[in-house]
Amino acid sequence: MKILEVIKEKVMGFPKGFLWGGAIAANQAEGAYLEDGKGLTTVDMIPHGEKRMYVKLGDMYPVKLIDGENYPSHEAIDFYHRYQEDIKLFAEMGFKTFRTSIAWARIFPHGDDEQPNEAGISFYLDLFKECQKYGIEPLVTLCHFDVPMGLVEKYGSWRSREMIECFIRYARVCFERFDGLVKYWLTFNEINILLHSPFSGAGIAFKPDENHEQVKYQAAHHELVASALATKIAHEINPLNRVGCMLAGGQFYPYSCDPKDVWLAMNKDRENLMFIDVQARGYYPSYAKKVFKEKDINIEIQTDDLEILKKYPVDFISFSYYQSRCASADPSRGMTDGNVVKSVKNPYLETSDWGWQIDPLGLRITLNYLYDRYQKPLFIVENGLGAKDTIEEDGSILDDYRIDYLRKHIKAMKDAIDDGVDLIGYTTWGCIDLVAASTGEMSKRYGFIYVDKDDQGNGTLERRKKKSFNWYKQVIASNGERLD
Ligand code: BG6
């Protein structure tokens, strides 16, 4: 009887202390791209418009700024100068946590400088202290799509082993200097995206005639070792530090029960999960050898590497979730867009205006799947609807479509917790409007807070609350109970 009661108590929705909040990334929000000593990063080289994909995918070599192009990261939403105003608004919504990233090139402008840049450190000290003022726990990504260009030019980015040393030096400085202010860390944002968007994901620009698969998987191995070593250092510096990996999530469903579709969907999932398998379990999964063989690649793994991976797995698993995906062995099936990875169109799902398939139940499925597979705490660090907003005559922004999307996803999280999943937090993506990573648009908005800026870069940057602002405030205040 007693045991039953305990179990019953555990399945009553969001746990106490659940980390509600929102997420942004330095490269999509800060702007001030060369201020206070910051060096150029990969994202600073990616223009809005026609040439965007060419640079993002790593087809431009060597990478150069092009005259006359619009580079959205250079100003972004000017969070660098307006963070106090923005954090105040997050606090008003009741945020318990705020996810952002550190721009590596603010701390090490070239990536491998002798000494860190004190001006960069002081910016983040002030930012994290500002969060602390309101009792907001920062959740910090060390590398969110912004490798210093100095390292791209000198080493060809993550294709080279030297990057491991540069990254852990940078990570150590962050853990030491922000100790006591930051406890939750993520090493690489959407680590699996380097396979699909190599330059934006990992600073890889391909030289002519290079074997792309070889370069990508070698780079991935270097990131995995760097991530494990950073986890080690974080724990040494402060045993209270919690380090997570970060996956671009969303499962592949088989289009039909044809075993060929099921097999394909499983393998497409494995392609992404291989990273998390290594980071969470501490070793390459048994299917990795076959993958490397089929791709005809040879990854250089040094003797100590496997030991490092084994000894320093992550403490928790974080992921982004925008949509589920679908796979079919029949190549004639229609495709739709998604978060970097394209998918077969699922006839049961609606899509956003950008073709991303909307699937709240898919979030419950993903949460259950990841928890079954890894048995480590989960953290949803990105979720939301990119949509066009309209300002009404009275100045209001009635974003009911966003509320509807979030409501259904939060309900799915609650269901997953009731299923037994250990979910520790939720940060919606782009809690304040920011530059879209895929398209470079401002008009693809995710925020509870509107930012006055258009796709061409015009606007006052003024902030304005949307209808969803008060809605999310109520969600947080009720610990996820009031979703109306
Ligand atoms: C994830 C990234 O891929 O999706 C974010 O981690 C990105 O940086 C988000 O912004 C949403 O994608 P988009 O292209 O709509 O900005």
Side-chain angles (χ1 to χ4, degrees):
M1 186 64 180
K2 262 202 170 148
I3 293 175
L4 271 181
E5 267 167 27
V6 173
I7 291 176
K8 207 170 147 213
E9 207 177 289
K10 279 191 100 174
V11 293
M12 295 298 288
F14 292 97
K16 244 184 165 176
F18 187 78
L19 291 165
W20 295 98
I24 64 166
N27 79 81
Q28 288 160 267
E30 284 178 6
Y33 81 119
L34 291 178
E35 213 162 308
D36 293 334
K38 176 181 168 291
L40 277 176
T41 68
T42 43
V43 77
D44 297 329
M45 316 302 284
I46 305 180
H48 175 54
E50 263 173 36
K51 301 202 177 71
R52 187 168 181 86
M53 288 320 275
Y54 160 68
V55 183
K56 247 170 90 78
L57 298 182
D59 295 331
M60 181 190 209
Y61 181 82
V63 181
K64 295 262 176 272
L65 288 171
I66 310 164
D67 280 348
E69 290 291 334
N70 162 16
Y71 291 91
S73 75
H74 294 190
E75 181 191 54
I77 59 160
D78 196 30
F79 181 75
Y80 191 77
H81 298 111
R82 293 165 194 252
Y83 71 89
Q84 286 167 316
E85 181 191 347
D86 296 341
I87 305 275
K88 193 168 177 214
L89 287 166
F90 302 155
E92 193 183 327
M93 271 187 280
F95 278 21
K96 312 284 179 218
T97 189
F98 167 56
R99 175 180 178 226
T100 189
S101 64
I102 295 176
W104 185 347
R106 281 201 199 283
I107 310 293
F108 287 101
H110 303 93
D112 63 349
D113 312 65
E114 293 273 304
Q115 296 300 326
N117 170 30
E118 287 301 323
I121 292 179
S122 95
F123 167 70
Y124 290 107
L125 277 174
D126 292 346
L127 171 62
F128 300 143
K129 282 184 190 153
E130 196 66 17
C131 293
Q132 197 182 46
K133 184 166 119 188
Y134 296 105
I136 297 175
E137 181 86 57
L139 163 64
V140 176
T141 316
L142 287 168
C143 190
H144 190 129
F145 298 165
D146 55 357
V147 176
M149 275 308 286
L151 298 179
V152 173
E153 280 151 13
K154 193 157 171 189
Y155 302 116
S157 190
W158 283 100
R159 75 183 66 225
S160 301
R161 208 175 159 90
E162 279 87 349
M163 289 293 283
I164 299 177
E165 203 44 51
C166 300
F167 182 77
I168 60 174
R169 226 155 59 84
Y170 156 60
R172 180 183 292 283
V173 167
C174 293
F175 300 143
E176 281 173 354
R177 302 295 295 273
F178 307 128
D179 188 30
L181 288 167
V182 180
K183 174 173 135 190
Y184 288 99
W185 297 94
L186 304 177
T187 47
F188 294 96
N189 181 63
E190 296 190 331
I191 188 163
N192 51 316
I193 288 304
L194 88 79
L195 297 181
H196 312 285
S197 185
F199 184 70
S200 67
I204 306 286
F206 295 105
K207 299 173 193 162
D209 303 328
E210 216 170 18
N211 177 342
H212 289 202
E213 295 297 320
Q214 173 70 35
V215 174
K216 287 193 289 186
Y217 279 94
Q218 187 64 63
H221 178 69
H222 293 147
E223 285 199 358
L224 290 168
V225 174
S227 174
L229 286 170
T231 307
K232 169 183 185 276
I233 297 167
H235 290 155
E236 283 167 0
I237 290 173
N238 189 338
L240 294 178
N241 276 331
R242 290 290 166 265
V243 184
C245 52
M246 199 309 202
L247 166 81
Q251 259 175 275
F252 275 96
Y253 300 150
Y255 187 85
S256 75
C257 51
D258 178 345
K260 289 199 215 78
D261 286 358
V262 179
W263 177 245
L264 186 69
M266 189 179 97
N267 281 305
K268 286 201 161 281
D269 271 340
R270 278 177 160 183
E271 193 174 81
N272 294 314
L273 289 171
M274 186 194 292
F275 294 84
I276 309 305
D277 285 350
V278 176
Q279 290 177 293
R281 295 167 168 163
Y283 53 89
Y284 275 94
S286 42
Y287 60 84
K289 264 192 194 152
K290 176 90 181 295
V291 171
F292 297 156
K293 196 169 162 219
E294 279 175 359
K295 293 185 183 292
D296 196 21
I297 57 178
N298 228 326
I299 305 304
E300 194 184 301
I301 298 181
Q302 294 195 358
T303 349
D304 289 352
D305 291 358
L306 297 181
E307 189 63 17
I308 290 168
L309 297 176
K310 177 112 216 129
K311 277 172 81 176
Y312 310 110
V314 289
D315 302 307
F316 66 93
I317 291 158
S318 81
F319 64 99
S320 59
Y321 179 85
Y322 295 92
Q323 77 278 303
S324 58
R325 304 175 176 118
C326 195
S328 167
D330 174 356
S332 69
R333 298 244 179 258
M335 301 295 284
T336 187
D337 258 329
N339 185 12
V340 187
V341 185
K342 280 194 189 303
S343 160
V344 168
K345 174 89 189 69
N346 182 333
Y348 296 98
L349 299 178
E350 310 249 295
T351 59
S352 76
D353 291 346
W354 277 263
W356 297 22
Q357 318 202 77
I358 301 174
D359 182 10
L361 180 54
L363 177 56
R364 183 179 182 182
I365 295 169
T366 298
L367 281 163
N368 273 278
Y369 186 82
L370 291 177
Y371 195 59
D372 282 354
R373 192 171 176 116
Y374 301 116
Q375 296 279 299
K376 290 205 177 205
L378 302 179
F379 203 144
I380 302 166
V381 297
E382 290 186 28
N383 172 241
L385 179 72
K388 289 210 156 97
D389 292 327
T390 316
I391 304 185
E392 305 296 323
E393 269 178 21
D394 65 357
S396 61
I397 298 162
L398 306 174
D399 55 343
D400 292 284
Y401 35 89
R402 184 167 295 110
I403 294 174
D404 186 55
Y405 177 101
L406 294 172
R407 177 188 292 126
K408 289 178 179 151
H409 284 77
I410 293 173
K411 171 75 177 63
M413 284 154 47
K414 201 171 170 196
D415 290 340
I417 291 172
D418 288 353
D419 295 335
V421 169
D422 181 7
L423 179 64
I424 57 174
Y426 175 68
T427 56
T428 66
W429 177 247
C431 45
I432 179 165
D433 292 347
L434 37 60
V435 177
S438 51
T439 57
E441 292 163 298
M442 269 306 297
S443 55
K444 187 180 186 190
R445 299 173 181 275
Y446 288 87
F448 304 114
I449 301 159
Y450 184 92
V451 176
D452 178 30
K453 186 168 178 178
D454 66 17
D455 292 342
Q456 283 64 49
N458 309 309
T460 60
L461 294 169
E462 184 210 11
R463 275 62 169 156
R464 182 187 292 252
K465 295 175 194 172
K466 304 182 194 174
K467 185 175 174 186
S468 56
F469 185 99
N470 282 325
W471 176 81
Y472 195 47
K473 183 177 175 177
Q474 168 188 289
V475 172
I476 299 178
S478 65
N479 199 25
E481 288 304 312
R482 293 244 354 236
L483 300 179
D484 50 301

